[in-house]
Amino acid sequence: MSVFDLLNSAPVYVVCGSIIGFVALICIIFIVRAYRAGLAIGMERAKLNRVISSCIAFSVVPSIGILLGVIALSGSLGIPWPWLRLSVIGALHYETQVAEAAAEQLGASLNPSEMTAQVFSTVALLMSLCIVWEIILSALFNKSYLKKFKTGNSVSLEKKSKSGFADTAMASMFIGLISAYTGSYVGQFVSSGGLFSFKGDWIPLIVVTVSALTMCLFTWLEKSKKQAWLEGFSVAISMFAGMTAAVIIGLFR
Amino acid sequence: MEKNEIFERYNDRTHVLGRLFSLITVVFLLASPFVIGVFIGAMPDIAAAMKGFVAVGIVWLVVSVVEFLVYTPMLGAGGSYLGFITGNLINMKMPCADNARDMTGAKVGTPENEIISTLAIATSALVTVAVLSAGVLLLQPLRPVLQSEVLRPAFANVVAALFGSLAYKYFSHHLKIAVFPLILMVVLFVFLPSLASSASIMMIPAGGLAILVAWLDFRKPISKFHS
């Protein structure tokens, strides 16, 4: 039995499916409570129903984009684990980065040929360790943190929560991460066969370029052609374009 | 009973349930690699995971703190508990809650916003669960194709594909911040290509430099590299 047969086996589906089911149950409990409380404080039933129906319509397309992310990760981590991570806690851009970094610490990568059962279970643990902090912070400090905002009026609260350096700092960290990986692809191509030998693997550079150009096209369509609905697909389809370029190069090599 | 009193009781109970469900979810998520490990015959290597956490987890801890501080007030109690548990916050839950708020005219920080954010995020999460579950069922027959030799280069380059798409997204919006860390990393990896196996650790100096440039720009905008 190969490692991917194990990762796609029924018991793994049951473990991942049970957690997804539990989280779905939490959502149902919160919907019922919020709906009842909304009616109790005088909100119109029609308004609450409209929120639910518009959110269903709003979420279908991005969810298909997320499904493409499950497909993208399934070749490295099997199907059930990405299904769990992208249904419950993660997001495509986090999961891939953390999984790769975790595999790197074990001297492996997300390359399917390097995946073993031990690498998978350790990567899975590290992915969980890295990404549970928001839930823990929320469990510990949500109530006391929100109390601090109660004194201000709603407009100042909105301004306070949206402004500041925090968003830029977070974007800067991502820029640092992307720069490190992009630099590593350039370095591998230019110098891995000897300093300035240009004999290293160039496929990752092509993949980066194709993905970036596809993203550029999507951004143009979203902004210039007013196709805002494409936003939910842009990352996943750009990734697929880059991955398709790798397959095409692989066929002709 | 007064409306305010009803809402306060609802809110207090939301915190109790939110904390309880959050902690149970954390336990499930941390236990799942061990439970799966039993079935696949290989338990996680704790020492390697801890070593990895020291190297990369600290960065995610900082990201988590920032996201918690920024998004919690915007989503309210129920919305933020659910948002952090169900993930896909920036790419889906936040826009969905924003859209619902705009549609109903609710203001951040009001009881209406609390109710609407919770409804929006819970509904959105359920839709994702339904779509992904249906998709995963349909994926089963495609397993042999997904694991074929022809597609192997695609999955071997999934990270490069992700960083290509994100590179355009982030660099085009923050060109003046991205220039310096990108040049530094290219030069570093060209002269020390063996560092490629530790690319994730190199995000610490690269991210630090990006934050420094961003901070300098935040205090006094750099006019030269306007993006």
Side-chain angles (χ1 to χ4, degrees):
Chain A
M1 206 181 219
S2 78
V3 65
F4 288 101
D5 290 329
L6 290 169
L7 297 183
N8 292 311
S9 60
V12 181
Y13 271 101
V14 171
V15 173
C16 296
S18 305
I19 299 174
I20 293 169
F22 173 70
V23 172
L25 183 65
I26 297 175
C27 292
I28 292 168
I29 291 170
F30 271 70
I31 286 179
V32 172
R33 290 186 68 251
Y35 196 95
R36 286 182 179 161
L39 292 177
I41 63 168
M43 292 175 76
E44 292 168 26
R45 189 182 290 273
K47 189 190 255 187
L48 297 173
N49 290 342
R50 207 166 72 241
V51 167
I52 292 174
S53 54
S54 83
C55 286
I56 292 173
F58 187 95
S59 303
V60 170
V61 171
S63 295
I64 296 170
I66 294 168
L67 177 64
L68 295 179
V70 174
I71 297 171
L73 286 174
S74 65
S76 307
L77 299 170
I79 296 170
W81 185 253
W83 173 42
L84 167 67
R85 302 295 301 208
L86 294 179
S87 296
V88 171
I89 187 172
L92 180 56
H93 54 293
Y94 283 170
E95 294 300 314
T96 316
Q97 290 167 24
V98 175
E100 175 68 11
E104 210 179 78
Q105 296 307 311
L106 299 165
S109 75
L110 290 187
N111 191 328
S113 61
E114 293 178 25
M115 189 53 66
T116 65
Q118 169 102 69
V119 167
F120 171 82
S121 58
T122 309
V123 163
L125 177 62
L126 191 47
M127 285 170 80
S128 298
L129 276 173
C130 284
I131 218 155
V132 293
W133 296 103
E134 283 171 2
I135 307 182
I136 293 174
L137 288 169
S138 186
L140 295 178
F141 304 116
N142 188 313
K143 191 174 184 179
S144 54
Y145 183 52
L146 281 176
K147 262 188 188 166
K148 291 184 179 175
F149 289 91
K150 271 196 167 175
T151 49
N153 64 45
S154 59
V155 176
S156 68
L157 174 60
E158 189 161 25
K159 274 184 184 167
K160 193 171 181 179
S161 58
K162 279 185 175 171
S163 64
F165 183 63
D167 277 350
T168 313
M170 208 157 65
S172 302
M173 288 181 70
F174 277 113
I175 286 169
L177 185 64
I178 298 162
S179 301
Y181 275 91
T182 310
S184 78
Y185 299 141
V186 176
Q188 270 179 298
F189 167 59
V190 175
S191 296
S192 68
L195 202 61
F196 291 104
S197 62
F198 294 92
K199 286 181 179 168
D201 188 6
W202 46 272
I203 295 182
L205 275 180
I206 300 290
V207 172
V208 165
T209 308
V210 171
S211 300
L213 288 174
T214 311
M215 192 58 154
C216 173
L217 174 68
F218 268 80
T219 308
W220 177 74
L221 289 171
E222 283 164 35
K223 299 212 168 135
S224 301
K225 298 290 171 187
K226 311 284 181 211
Q227 302 295 317
W229 63 276
L230 286 171
E231 197 182 349
F233 289 97
S234 55
V235 172
I237 293 183
S238 301
M239 284 178 71
F240 270 86
M243 290 163 75
T244 306
V247 171
I248 293 169
I249 295 166
L251 288 174
F252 292 98
R253 248 183 150 187
Chain B
M1 201 184 292
E2 262 198 50
K3 282 178 186 174
N4 266 353
E5 204 181 323
I6 294 171
F7 181 72
E8 285 307 317
R9 276 185 57 186
Y10 163 78
N11 223 16
D12 286 343
R13 189 88 180 130
T14 297
H15 284 296
V16 173
L17 289 174
R19 284 173 171 169
L20 178 69
F21 289 144
S22 295
L23 293 175
I24 294 174
T25 306
V26 168
V27 171
F28 280 172
L29 288 171
L30 291 177
S32 56
F34 294 94
V35 179
I36 292 172
V38 171
F39 292 118
I40 65 174
M43 294 305 266
D45 179 342
I46 307 267
M50 286 302 147
K51 193 177 146 213
F53 181 74
V54 170
V56 298
I58 304 299
V59 173
W60 298 105
L61 182 57
V62 175
V63 170
S64 300
V65 171
V66 172
E67 289 200 348
F68 169 74
L69 293 175
V70 172
Y71 297 128
T72 300
M74 293 168 72
L75 296 173
S80 53
Y81 283 119
L82 277 179
F84 294 131
I85 289 174
T86 58
N88 288 301
L89 200 61
I90 302 167
N91 55 334
M92 195 160 104
K93 305 293 173 10
M94 285 295 300
C96 186
D98 262 348
N99 180 53
R101 194 160 45 233
D102 286 348
M103 198 178 73
T104 55
K107 295 283 177 203
V108 174
T110 59
E112 286 77 16
N113 178 62
E114 174 65 44
I115 301 293
I116 283 170
S117 286
T118 305
L119 282 178
I121 291 172
T123 306
S124 179
L126 282 177
V127 171
T128 305
V129 166
V131 170
L132 262 59
S133 301
V136 161
L137 276 178
L138 296 173
L139 272 182
Q140 275 306 312
L142 293 176
R143 266 184 56 201
V145 180
L146 291 172
Q147 287 162 19
S148 68
E149 277 301 314
V150 176
L151 291 187
R152 198 163 275 248
F155 294 114
N157 285 286
V158 64
V159 178
L162 173 77
F163 285 126
S165 59
L166 292 185
Y168 180 79
K169 196 173 168 182
Y170 281 96
F171 290 3
S172 62
H173 285 103
H174 304 279
L175 188 58
K176 55 194 169 185
I177 299 173
V179 166
F180 300 103
L182 185 60
I183 291 174
L184 173 72
M185 287 296 115
V186 167
V187 171
L188 192 69
F189 282 104
V190 164
F191 284 95
L192 293 167
S194 59
L195 280 178
S197 59
S198 313
S200 61
I201 296 176
M202 295 317 292
M203 83 156 277
I204 295 171
L209 178 60
I211 289 174
L212 176 69
V213 175
W215 175 245
L216 292 173
D217 182 43
F218 184 70
R219 293 181 65 189
K220 187 182 175 187
I222 302 166
S223 56
K224 240 182 176 177
F225 293 101
H226 270 310
S227 51

